[in-house]
Amino acid sequence: MKPLESTIGRMPLSLPVAAPVKAPVATHCPYCALQCGMNVAAGADAGTGTVAITPRQDIPANAGGLCQKGWTAGELLTGGARLTTPLLHGEPVGWDEALDFVADRIRALQAEHGPDGVAVFGGGGLTNEKAYLLGKFARVALRTSQIDYNGRFCMSSAAAASNRAFGMDRGLPFPITDLAAADAVLLAGGNMAETMPPFVRHLTAMRDRGGRLIVIDPRLTATARLADLHLQPTPGTDLALALGLLHLVVAEGRVDEDYVAARTNGFAAVATSVAAWWPERVERITGVPVAQMRLAVEILADASRAAILTGRGAEQHAKGTDTVTAFINLALALGLPGRPGSGYGCVTGQGNGQGGREHGQKADQLPGYRKIDDPAARAHVARVWGIDPDEIPGPGRSAYELLDALGTAGGPRALLLFGSNPVVSAPRSGHVTERLKGLDLLVVSDLVMSETAALADVVLPTTQWAEEEGTMTNLEGRVLLRRRAVAAPEGVRSDLEVLRGLAVRLAGPDADGSRGAAGFPTDPREVFEELRRASAGGTADYAGITYERIAAETGVFWPCPAEDHPGTPRPFLDGFATPDGRARFVPVEHRPPGEDVDADYPLYLTTGRVLAHYQSGAQTRRIAALNAVVSETFVEIHPDLAERLEVSPGQRLRVVSRRGETEGAARVNPAIRADTVFMPFHWIGANVLTNPELDPVSRMPEFKVCAVRVERVG
Ligand SMILES: Nc1nc2c(c(=O)[nH]1)N[C@H]1C(S)=C(S)[C@@H](COP(=O)(O)OP(=O)(O)OC[C@H]3O[C@@H](n4cnc5c(=O)[nH]c(N)nc54)[C@H](O)[C@@H]3O)O[C@H]1N2
Ligand SMILES: Nc1nc2c(c(=O)[nH]1)N[C@H]1C(S)=C(S)[C@@H](COP(=O)(O)OP(=O)(O)OC[C@H]3O[C@@H](n4cnc5c(=O)[nH]c(N)nc54)[C@H](O)[C@@H]3O)O[C@H]1N2
Ligand code: SF4
Ligand SMILES: [Mo]
């Protein structure tokens, strides 16, 4: 724990922080799904000056902790990296000129190619209000089916598996503080010590009580170092590993028979299917020794309260849905989900990764986590939107399929992008960049000139976290309030204002109210009131949540169907969200990765994150204090492999896959498997290499494993 404290406790700031002149405002960090509570105080010259950030004590997820990214988040509010004027083909223009241009082009392209000629791509960092209005804008103002978002790249496999098993997908179906009371936690493919440092306190609190932590990761990460047991499989083999663990649970008579009988369906078929996954076979596939598997099962089965968690390491695969299903099957056999202090959970990633998937920016969804092809859902939402149900388009393409179709025959000719930077973060990014360049119109709304914004015909400068109000739903399903702490710089507008500006122009002067100004409010509270009605009766029911309640109760857990309803911290205690209230076991089989190693590409590449940078790096690469920690990409490589390739630390390496090649400095590190190299994806590079093969259920790309060759440069 010690080395981590420096990142969790008070970080000495090198930023100039003036004495605050305004009372601090209680809000949340702009970055990840932990949504750490923080107080933000504006300095003397709000809008261009400085802010002071301190952690809040009252938000249980971080209770006084922040990571480096949180401590330094103020720098982008005040620094020179900010976009402050709309750009048309690179030239500064006024807002009317920019929005008129976009609306005219949309009208012309839709006249020629139909409504689906224009696409929308959103993000899991957008507030619930923005995500909701973006989904409505696509369906009501553009009448396009072509909308999806970067959450498809994030937790979509876990979401699909949870829906399949529990009838509902809420990342953690219990408060994060429950983890401290567990006797065992198994974390498959998550590196919280780097991706959510204050999360670690819940795991260490568990260990301080005598609970035990098991981590599954091909690398001995900072998180794996905290574990009592680290299983180090070959990337892409978690499914076999989970089947092997369940095999042992069954073989050793550790199934919770009473729970299985009372609360689940379908166990017999799963028990039969894991019979063939005896531990020696699993060891051959995963590289995890049988003794370690036995120990893992013993720890989990002995625990009276235990949690199984998955992160992107287990999920971002072309078999991610089945992999998570296999871990859920294991959790069900052990009798964990829906028991106090126990369960299965997905550690969701982006700031509003949970809420972003609930209110309609997903290709197949309507607000309230409703299905777009469900006639009752369409009727309900159409009523709220004031349109005919038949006017709501059907499901569109998933994120990668959408990006891949841009500018092609039959694909969208225009893209409006809010809150993502796919030039860096999409799989097979070189190809995606070509597709973006082939568009007739690319419009990007962003705070900074991201790599994707740099390709855009029109760039729209937007307000960001501390300059606006809205709600964010954290990894626990707790709806939180983002508050305005500082004035936005002159010239920027909120995404809500952008959507209304375009909707009004597209609707024309004689449009009825719902398609024009009245249908697109710019006050987040007004949007939230509509979201409450649109979500009412849906799976993710926000009908009883108000800004006032969130403030008074430090967040409200959905589902919350009425203002006098307390919210639902643990939705599965009395039953699952399936028609009969029972969880479903689903039989799944292991299969190799989309692309296995061979003579030409003999190594596995896996990708992920480092503490100091966030996602595509568009924000954090512009923060000096974070660049001082890591300023460029690297290739993590085992000493044995380094010796074989005659590579010394720091040497420039070329990494080549079937999609392309990139370079990075060697970081020789015994913490990684010798058959695998690791690259962070915060810089252009890692995704030039990745394989866009998709999971058949979730449409998640295979970010976490592909075959590469590594060469010395020069
Ligand atoms: N610093 C930082 N924090 C972040 C973010 C960020 O960009 N930077 N992003 C946020 C977001 S959106 C997300 S989704 C979360 C992600 O949070 P995590 O899931 O913790 O992040 P990753 O680093 O992508 O992957 C976790 C681990 O999976 C391991 N892994 C790779 N391949 C495999 C495999 O086949 N099996 C297993 N079991 N493990 C494997 C990697 O070695 C890595 O240590 O982080 C959030 N927090
Ligand atoms: N190889 C590899 N690739 C990956 C992953 C991996 O593990 N490996 N992880 C995937 C995952 S889990 C994720 S979540 C994606 C994330 O990758 P991206 O979708 O690229 O996410 P960000 O970098 O957060 O991009 C957000 C952009 O929106 C801007 N922005 C922030 N807030 C707002 C706002 O309120 N409004 C508007 N209009 N713009 C805003 C930011 O400045 C930034 O440019 O990457 C995926 N790609
Ligand atoms: S990036 Fe995540 S862990 Fe770090 S301070 Fe922000 S919310 Fe907390
Ligand atoms: Mo993510």
Side-chain angles (χ1 to χ4, degrees):
M1 224 1 247
K2 278 289 166 281
L4 289 168
E5 281 298 348
S6 59
T7 69
I8 299 170
R10 280 198 161 268
M11 181 176 149
L13 282 185
S14 54
L15 310 175
V17 178
V21 294
K22 291 196 183 153
V25 174
T27 186
H28 297 268
C29 176
Y31 300 118
C32 84
L34 202 58
Q35 280 300 290
C36 293
M38 53 169 61
N39 297 305
V40 179
D45 36 8
T48 53
T50 51
V51 299
I53 289 177
T54 51
R56 283 168 71 177
Q57 304 288 339
D58 61 332
I59 298 296
N62 68 303
L66 292 176
C67 82
Q68 286 170 335
K69 297 185 296 304
W71 282 112
T72 56
E75 199 173 329
L76 267 194
L77 292 167
T78 55
R82 225 25 217 292
L83 291 168
T84 52
T85 173
L87 301 171
L88 175 57
H89 298 129
E91 296 299 322
V93 293
W95 274 97
D96 280 335
E97 189 178 345
L99 295 178
D100 286 345
F101 176 86
V102 175
D104 287 347
R105 292 293 287 136
I106 289 175
R107 226 179 276 117
L109 289 166
Q110 288 194 320
E112 198 183 338
H113 302 281
D116 282 0
V118 177
V120 175
F121 200 89
L126 303 178
T127 59
N128 289 313
E129 291 76 1
K130 294 179 189 185
Y132 169 79
L133 210 67
L134 190 63
K136 178 178 179 184
F137 175 80
R139 275 76 176 226
V140 176
L142 295 174
R143 305 179 194 223
T144 182
S145 70
Q146 300 297 296
I147 174 169
D148 211 46
Y149 80 122
N150 67 8
R152 188 74 71 168
F153 298 157
C154 187
M155 59 337 107
S156 61
S157 289
S162 286
N163 280 321
R164 208 151 76 167
F166 307 126
M168 178 172 135
D169 148 44
R170 209 189 74 189
L172 294 182
F174 46 79
I176 193 169
T177 40
D178 278 9
L179 293 173
D183 304 309
V185 171
L186 174 116
L187 172 62
N191 182 15
M192 275 72 246
E194 294 211 57
T195 55
M196 303 185 177
F199 187 114
V200 169
R201 64 187 53 206
H202 304 290
L203 299 175
T204 43
M206 172 201 67
R207 293 195 67 240
D208 291 346
R209 282 185 38 259
R212 286 189 285 175
L213 176 66
I214 307 167
V215 171
I216 306 176
D217 197 305
R219 303 183 303 139
L220 176 59
T221 59
T223 313
R225 283 181 209 282
L226 300 170
D228 301 275
L229 177 62
H230 173 214
L231 312 182
Q232 199 169 5
T234 305
T237 64
D238 298 76
L239 179 41
L241 184 56
L243 295 172
L245 296 176
L246 183 52
H247 173 102
L248 284 169
V249 168
V250 176
E252 292 173 8
R254 306 299 305 254
V255 174
D256 186 335
E257 309 274 0
D258 293 343
Y259 171 95
V260 167
R263 301 210 52 184
T264 71
N265 284 324
F267 177 62
V270 166
T272 309
S273 74
V274 298
W277 291 96
W278 57 90
E280 292 74 16
R281 179 182 175 203
V282 173
E283 176 176 326
R284 275 199 303 281
I285 293 172
T286 63
V288 175
V290 173
Q292 291 186 1
M293 288 181 240
R294 287 190 190 284
L295 186 54
V297 165
E298 199 180 298
I299 292 172
L300 287 171
D302 284 349
S304 52
R305 278 166 305 196
I308 294 181
L309 305 176
T310 58
R312 301 306 84 77
E315 300 167 11
Q316 288 173 322
H317 295 272
K319 54 175 179 294
T321 305
D322 285 352
T323 301
V324 175
T325 297
F327 282 110
I328 292 176
N329 287 342
L330 176 65
L332 289 171
L334 292 166
L336 308 179
R339 282 225 174 125
S342 293
Y344 160 77
C346 150
V347 184
T348 290
Q350 298 182 78
N352 195 28
Q354 181 66 52
R357 71 216 211 210
E358 298 164 3
H359 299 299
Q361 55 175 337
K362 210 171 157 207
D364 49 2
Q365 263 178 24
L366 290 174
Y369 220 127
R370 289 182 160 93
K371 290 201 176 72
I372 203 166
D373 51 10
D374 168 6
R378 296 170 66 85
H380 172 84
V381 174
R383 226 175 1 257
V384 176
W385 287 351
I387 61 171
D388 193 272
D390 293 339
E391 293 180 290
I392 300 178
R397 293 178 172 93
S398 78
Y400 180 75
E401 290 163 297
L402 179 59
L403 295 171
D404 185 37
L406 296 177
T408 63
R413 308 298 316 179
L415 179 70
L416 312 185
L417 193 140
F418 294 79
S420 180
N421 184 15
V423 165
V424 179
S425 59
R428 198 187 172 199
S429 57
H431 171 75
V432 166
T433 303
E434 288 311 306
R435 288 285 192 255
L436 290 165
K437 286 181 180 164
L439 283 167
D440 295 332
L441 174 70
L442 175 62
V443 180
V444 175
S445 165
D446 208 311
L447 356 153
V448 292
M449 188 59 109
S450 72
E451 286 78 357
T452 310
L455 301 180
D457 299 289
V458 181
V459 179
L460 303 172
T462 188
T463 53
Q464 56 171 321
W465 64 291
E467 300 157 358
E468 60 187 26
E469 242 188 343
T471 59
M472 304 283 281
T473 307
N474 80 353
L475 76 177
E476 310 166 280
R478 188 197 293 258
V479 185
L480 299 166
L481 197 56
R482 168 183 279 191
R483 289 192 184 84
R484 193 162 184 268
V486 300
E490 196 84 34
V492 308
R493 291 193 184 173
S494 75
D495 290 313
L496 299 181
E497 289 173 305
V498 169
L499 294 175
R500 183 214 289 245
L502 290 175
V504 167
R505 283 170 174 79
L506 290 169
D510 38 48
D512 63 38
S514 59
R515 289 195 193 276
F520 292 89
T522 57
D523 176 355
R525 287 175 186 254
E526 236 179 285
V527 178
F528 191 74
E529 288 308 307
E530 188 180 310
L531 182 161
R532 289 174 62 191
R533 283 184 282 124
S535 74
T539 303
D541 192 330
Y542 281 42
I545 305 178
T546 64
Y547 280 24
E548 290 68 28
R549 270 193 74 176
I550 299 173
E553 300 169 32
T554 55
V556 181
F557 289 87
W558 70 257
C560 180
E563 284 190 39
D564 59 1
H565 184 286
T568 317
R570 299 175 188 85
F572 302 150
L573 285 185
D574 301 324
F576 296 97
T578 51
D580 63 1
R582 287 163 167 264
R584 305 182 193 109
F585 277 96
V586 180
V588 289
E589 280 299 320
H590 178 69
R591 48 192 189 272
E595 182 183 68
D596 220 328
V597 292
D598 59 19
D600 294 329
Y601 301 95
L603 297 168
Y604 295 108
L605 168 75
T606 194
T607 62
R609 296 159 163 84
V610 298
L611 200 165
H613 287 286
Y614 189 67
Q615 313 276 64
S616 72
Q619 290 157 281
T620 51
R621 283 186 278 113
R622 292 180 164 80
I623 295 179
L626 298 177
N627 271 329
V629 184
V630 200
S631 61
E632 55 171 26
T633 195
F634 58 85
V635 184
E636 192 173 289
I637 176 170
H638 191 274
D640 292 352
L641 179 60
E643 195 183 312
R644 193 148 59 75
L645 299 174
E646 296 177 9
V647 166
S648 43
Q651 178 148 28
R652 276 203 89 64
L653 297 179
R654 181 182 301 120
V655 187
V656 189
S657 82
R658 285 186 180 81
R659 268 78 47 202
E661 58 179 67
T662 190
E663 292 185 8
R667 274 204 190 175
V668 180
N669 189 340
I672 189 165
R673 291 178 56 95
D675 58 3
T676 303
V677 293
F678 169 88
M679 292 185 76
F681 79 100
H682 309 296
W683 295 265
I684 289 186
N687 275 319
V688 170
L689 307 169
T690 48
N691 183 4
E693 174 146 335
L694 301 181
D695 181 288
V697 184
S698 65
R699 319 307 285 166
M700 162 75 83
E702 192 138 76
F703 285 119
K704 286 294 193 268
V705 59
C706 71
V708 295
R709 171 169 84 230
V710 174
E711 302 160 350
R712 290 184 303 163
V713 174

